[in-house]
């Protein structure tokens, strides 16, 4: 029997975490300056630290992951040129058409399994441009894959995609909003993920728990251009060392603990499966459940104090993070199971 929570358990996303007392202290005490003059030492430290972790020469701090993806891709693809990605990629599903609207970039998508593209199918899509044919300028991969339920690309597959890009002389952008989860789940060093990509976006405001901020990792010699583009997009900030300090705190304190989020996701999946739900086995911190009426089930759960996301008409997304305990996850699994059993359309 479910014991219902006193305060809501929010499993809609790992973006909902609030900065801890320690993180807030680090933010309050951050040494800052005007970052548009290049004078914020904490932002600089974050950029150098994260670039170094992934083996990149430089990185630029951005307010959001969407802007980091946008700037990274702009380094590789121009207007009227083509980018190939999977059909469920965040850049085509959830970035409001930004690549098309802001940059005139044509995206061509490949249906995939859990968001992970097949290398041979990808190879067959790439076009060498000429007077009559749009040229593919870059490929994009997402790791872990959000709509794919936190699926992780095997590093060998990423290396094969890198080799494919090299063979055609084109770029590769990695949307690593949750690359931290991939690293913790597989043990593959961050630098090995970095080595496959020309540009990369990483989020500090998801599993790592910072209130805001992402970074775009850049090819050699492109940081000035990226900073200019960030300003054009309205994303250049001033004393943003306050945010960078939260990000650095998250990196130091919250990376290793992502394994707990993965364990909690498996706990939820196991409980839901034993209650008869059609759960996809989680690889990291995202659990997807196939249901008949996702909005109805999500609403029933919300009424019992458990927030989860309808991720499509028949798909639920449940995301674990540092602000939910194993016990919260057990409670949430009970509430979701009960809602599923009471769902009138359940067969
Ligand atoms: C969250 C996310 C982003 C960035 O989103 P923002 O809300 O702009 O920080 C990018 N890619 C993926 C796969 C994401 O899940």
């Amino acid at each position: 029997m479910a014991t219902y929570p006193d305060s809501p358990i929010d499993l809609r996303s790992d973006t909902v975490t609030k900065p801890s007392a320690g993180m807030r202290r680090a933010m309050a005490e951050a040494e800052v300056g005007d970052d548009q003059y290049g004078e914020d030492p904490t932002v600089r430290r974050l950029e150098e630290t994260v670039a170094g972790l992934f083996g990149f020469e430089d990185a630029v701090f951005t307010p959001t992951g969407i802007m980091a993806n946008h700037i990274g891709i702009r380094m590789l693809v121009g207007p009227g040129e083509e980018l190939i990605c999977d059909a469920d990629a965040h850049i085509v599903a959830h970035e409001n058409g930004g690549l098309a609207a802001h940059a005139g970039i044509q995206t061509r998508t490949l249906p995939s399994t859990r968001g992970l593209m097949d290398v041979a199918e990808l190879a067959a899509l790439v076009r060498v441009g000429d007077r009559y044919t749009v040229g593919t300028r870059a490929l994009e991969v997402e790791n872990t894959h959000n709509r794919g339920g936190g699926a992780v690309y095997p590093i060998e597959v990423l290396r094969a995609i890198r080799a494919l890009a090299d063979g055609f002389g084109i770029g590769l952008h990695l949307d690593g909003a949750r690359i931290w989860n991939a690293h913790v789940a597989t043990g593959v060093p961050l630098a090995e993920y970095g080595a496959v990509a020309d540009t990369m976006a990483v989020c500090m405001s998801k599993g790592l728990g910072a209130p805001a901020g992402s970074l775009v990792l850049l090819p050699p010699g492109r940081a000035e251009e990226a900073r200019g583009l960030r300003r054009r997009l309205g994303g250049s900030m001033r004393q943003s060392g306050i945010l960078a300090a939260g990000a650095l705190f998250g990196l130091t304190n919250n990376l290793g603990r992502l394994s707990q989020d993965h364990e909690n996701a498996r706990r939820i999946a196991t409980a839901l499966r034993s209650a008869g739900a059609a759960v996809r086995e989680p690889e990291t911190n995202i659990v997807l459940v196939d249901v008949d009426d996702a909005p109805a089930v999500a609403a029933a759960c919300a009424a019992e104090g458990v927030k989860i996301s309808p991720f499509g008409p028949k798909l639920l997304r449940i995301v674990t993070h540092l602000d939910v305990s194993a016990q919260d996850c057990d409670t949430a699994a009970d509430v979701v199971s009960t809602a599923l059993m009471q769902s009138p359309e359940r067969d």
Side-chain angles (χ1 to χ4, degrees):
M1 201 45 222
T3 46
Y4 296 120
D6 299 330
S7 59
I9 297 172
D10 195 343
L11 296 161
R12 288 171 301 169
S13 177
D14 45 10
T15 57
V16 301
T17 58
K18 294 181 181 158
S20 63
M23 184 179 284
R24 284 170 190 264
R25 209 171 308 119
M27 294 173 73
E29 291 168 2
E31 206 187 317
V32 297
D34 189 324
D35 184 51
Q36 288 207 46
Y37 289 106
E39 291 173 2
D40 191 303
T42 310
V43 169
R44 204 55 216 134
R45 188 150 60 87
L46 176 67
E47 290 173 339
E48 286 171 0
T49 301
V50 174
L53 286 173
F54 290 95
F56 277 72
E57 184 183 282
D58 212 343
V60 169
F61 189 48
T62 59
T64 64
I66 291 175
M67 191 181 287
N69 273 336
H70 188 84
I71 294 172
I73 290 167
R74 291 281 290 272
M75 296 292 115
L76 306 176
V77 189
E81 294 178 339
E82 179 179 271
L83 173 81
I84 299 179
C85 62
D86 80 275
D88 260 336
H90 195 275
I91 55 165
V92 292
H94 298 301
E95 303 194 357
N96 301 43
L99 291 172
H102 301 311
I105 291 172
Q106 167 165 313
T107 42
R108 198 147 56 105
T109 57
L110 174 62
S112 64
T113 307
R114 306 193 78 207
L116 312 185
M117 293 182 287
D118 177 83
V119 183
E121 290 177 15
L122 186 56
L125 279 192
V126 176
R127 290 190 283 224
V128 177
D130 60 24
R131 186 167 162 194
Y132 308 104
T133 314
V134 64
T136 306
R137 288 311 311 155
L139 311 174
E140 191 262 7
V141 292
E142 185 176 316
N143 193 28
T144 69
H145 201 286
N146 185 342
R147 296 200 65 85
V152 183
Y153 264 106
I155 187 70
E156 300 75 29
V157 176
L158 291 174
R159 289 192 187 120
I161 295 174
R162 172 75 262 168
L164 176 65
D166 286 342
F168 283 97
I170 61 178
L172 176 58
H173 176 77
L174 169 55
D175 179 353
R178 295 190 180 83
I179 196 69
W180 317 108
N181 298 82
H183 160 67
V184 167
T186 60
V188 171
L190 295 172
E192 291 194 23
Y193 286 123
V196 303
D198 296 299
T199 55
M200 200 173 157
V202 302
C203 273
M204 310 309 290
S205 61
K206 290 187 168 157
L208 297 184
S214 285
L215 294 103
V216 54
L217 283 67
L218 296 157
R222 306 292 295 278
E224 261 316 292
E225 188 185 344
R227 288 202 167 81
L229 181 53
R230 179 183 65 174
R231 184 170 161 92
R232 178 175 291 156
L233 293 167
S236 293
M237 297 180 283
R238 303 294 180 177
Q239 286 74 32
S240 36
I242 291 188
L243 293 174
L248 282 162
F249 183 94
L251 200 52
T252 306
N253 296 282
N254 296 338
L255 179 56
R257 66 152 304 289
L258 290 175
S259 57
Q260 291 169 37
D261 297 345
H262 301 171
E263 176 58 36
N264 284 340
R266 284 193 293 272
R267 252 179 121 89
I268 291 173
T270 303
L272 292 181
R273 191 172 298 110
S274 57
V279 189
R280 309 194 199 161
E281 185 57 31
E283 291 179 49
T284 51
N285 69 326
I286 300 177
V287 184
L288 296 182
V289 192
D290 295 296
V291 296
D292 289 323
D293 185 344
V297 175
C301 293
E304 301 297 345
V306 172
K307 297 182 179 177
I308 58 178
S309 293
F311 213 43
K314 290 175 178 287
L315 187 61
L316 292 172
R317 189 185 72 166
I318 300 170
V319 187
T320 57
H321 53 74
L322 84 171
D323 283 357
V324 289
S325 63
Q327 201 199 319
D328 290 334
C329 290
D330 290 345
T331 305
D334 278 349
V335 168
V336 176
S337 302
T338 304
L340 284 172
M341 274 180 305
Q342 288 165 351
S343 169
E345 287 155 289
R346 189 169 187 270
D347 45 24

